[in-house]
Amino acid sequence: QTIWWGNWLSLVQWALALLLLVVPVLYECSRTFKYFCKMAFYNGWILMLAVLAIPLCALRGRSVENMKIIRSMLHHVKHLYGIRIEVRGLENFNLAEPYVVVSNHQSSLDLLGMMEVLPDRCVPIAKKELMYMGTVGLACWLGGIIFINRKKTDDAIGVMSETARTMLRDNVRVWVFPEGTRNHNGSMLPFKRGAFHLAVQAQVPVIPIVMSSYRDFYSKKERRFTTGRCLIQVLAPMPTQGLGPEAVPALTDRVRQAMLDEGSSGGDGRGFWGREGDYSGVAGEGGDGGLAGEGGDQFAG
């Protein structure tokens, strides 16, 4: 038995030694292997940071102020991946009143851009399933993130109505991905109207944000994840004072067009998309039912 145990330990040692030799070679030689390694570390590191954030946030309880803790703990992740983020237009956040931030949605890497520019007292809207994702869900709940059930329109409308009241009562800002899901094509999908119903109901401005395409350094389809640069443009606030529900479709179209125009003309002359994107589709597609589709799948990994 002692001989068998010794042989087994020897076999394990050789296997570990071989693994230590093979992994670095695969990492340097295989783009696909490198991609999965980087994504695994990205998701794992966020899980670890959530574990560290929970006791700090728990001292205050569920509060939008905890987003400052979460933001500061995630701010360094861009450096781990060699991603340089340039921000323009931050002065457009200099409003004392609440507002609704809307941004294009590309991948889970949007989290890095969001934490780079997230204003104080601003929380994202996320799908309800995120709340049940262990430590990440608990950290998000403690951070005051607003959860909606995308499958039940009535529930989503109720949450949006309560959110409008909370924004005005507690001076809270809200971040929404109006495309409703990730878009890896380097352009923008049609917008759901929930964020714009919320802004009109609360009579607060909409502040659009355009994040440049990641395609120069990241592609899920091509299994590619290298270093690179992301440009974030914060556009001027669009007022909703005096607008009613009937103005929501036009407001949705106007905001989306402003983001498309910025995406096509910005980015150092080649556009934020890095190429000519597919801008087809009708803005606001889904009507009022779009409320159930808000929030995208940010933080979902």
Side-chain angles (χ1 to χ4, degrees):
Q1 186 176 2
T2 302
I3 295 175
W4 178 87
W5 180 251
N7 290 337
W8 186 84
L9 284 178
S10 179
L11 182 62
V12 170
Q13 289 173 346
W14 276 106
L16 288 175
L18 184 62
L19 187 65
L20 291 174
L21 289 173
V22 170
V23 169
V25 173
L26 283 175
Y27 187 83
E28 292 300 327
C29 298
S30 172
R31 187 173 69 183
T32 299
F33 186 78
K34 180 180 289 188
Y35 169 85
F36 283 112
C37 283
K38 285 191 170 185
M39 291 307 300
F41 180 81
Y42 179 77
N43 291 312
W45 190 242
I46 289 174
L47 285 171
M48 179 60 68
L49 292 174
V51 172
L52 298 176
I54 286 171
L56 297 176
C57 294
L59 294 174
R60 187 185 280 116
R62 177 171 165 83
S63 169
V64 297
E65 290 297 323
N66 282 331
M67 285 305 300
K68 293 180 181 178
I69 297 174
I70 296 173
R71 180 180 62 190
S72 63
M73 295 189 75
L74 289 169
H75 198 258
H76 72 283
V77 178
K78 64 181 181 182
H79 299 298
L80 298 178
Y81 286 88
I83 298 174
R84 294 174 293 110
I85 300 178
E86 179 184 343
V87 182
R88 301 174 183 174
L90 274 177
E91 66 277 3
N92 290 315
F93 280 143
N94 294 334
L95 300 177
E97 61 186 310
Y99 46 79
V100 175
V101 178
V102 295
S103 171
N104 58 312
H105 192 19
Q106 300 179 70
S107 78
S108 59
L109 297 184
D110 293 341
L111 180 61
L112 305 183
M114 177 191 288
M115 293 301 110
E116 187 75 14
V117 300
L118 188 74
D120 289 342
R121 301 193 62 75
C122 182
V123 294
I125 290 181
K127 62 180 183 180
K128 193 173 184 179
E129 292 88 337
L130 175 61
M131 189 166 56
Y132 306 110
M133 292 182 60
T135 57
V136 171
L138 180 55
C140 289
W141 183 84
L142 287 169
I145 287 176
I146 300 166
F147 300 100
I148 62 170
N149 189 339
R150 300 192 297 178
K151 298 177 182 178
K152 295 183 179 181
T153 302
D154 291 341
D155 290 351
I157 292 175
V159 170
M160 286 294 195
S161 297
E162 177 60 30
T163 299
R165 291 189 289 270
T166 301
M167 291 177 68
L168 297 174
R169 183 183 68 240
D170 300 332
N171 190 29
V172 172
R173 295 80 184 257
V174 174
W175 186 303
V176 184
F177 295 99
E179 292 169 278
T181 190
R182 301 172 188 171
N183 176 28
H184 300 283
N185 294 328
S187 60
M188 284 199 300
L189 298 173
F191 281 2
K192 307 290 186 181
R193 292 176 183 165
F196 307 96
H197 277 287
L198 174 61
V200 168
Q201 185 173 348
Q203 293 287 281
V204 298
V206 175
I207 299 183
I209 290 181
V210 182
M211 297 189 192
S212 64
S213 172
Y214 306 151
R215 68 185 306 269
D216 286 344
F217 62 89
Y218 174 85
S219 172
K220 182 178 180 180
K221 183 178 180 181
E222 299 174 7
R223 301 289 189 260
R224 175 171 49 82
F225 193 174
T226 61
T227 59
R229 171 176 171 269
C230 175
L231 179 60
I232 301 175
Q233 179 70 54
V234 183
L235 304 184
M238 296 193 175
T240 63
Q241 196 69 35
L243 299 182
E246 71 284 349
V248 167
L251 175 64
T252 304
D253 290 345
R254 190 162 66 251
V255 171
R256 184 173 185 270
Q257 190 59 53
M259 294 173 69
L260 286 173
D261 290 344
E262 182 62 36
S264 299
S265 61
D268 298 332
R270 60 172 185 155
F272 274 70
W273 315 130
R275 62 180 176 83
E276 185 178 357
D278 178 11
Y279 309 137
S280 61
V282 179
E285 187 176 272
D288 292 346
L291 284 165
E294 293 295 341
D297 43 12
Q298 182 66 24
F299 309 116

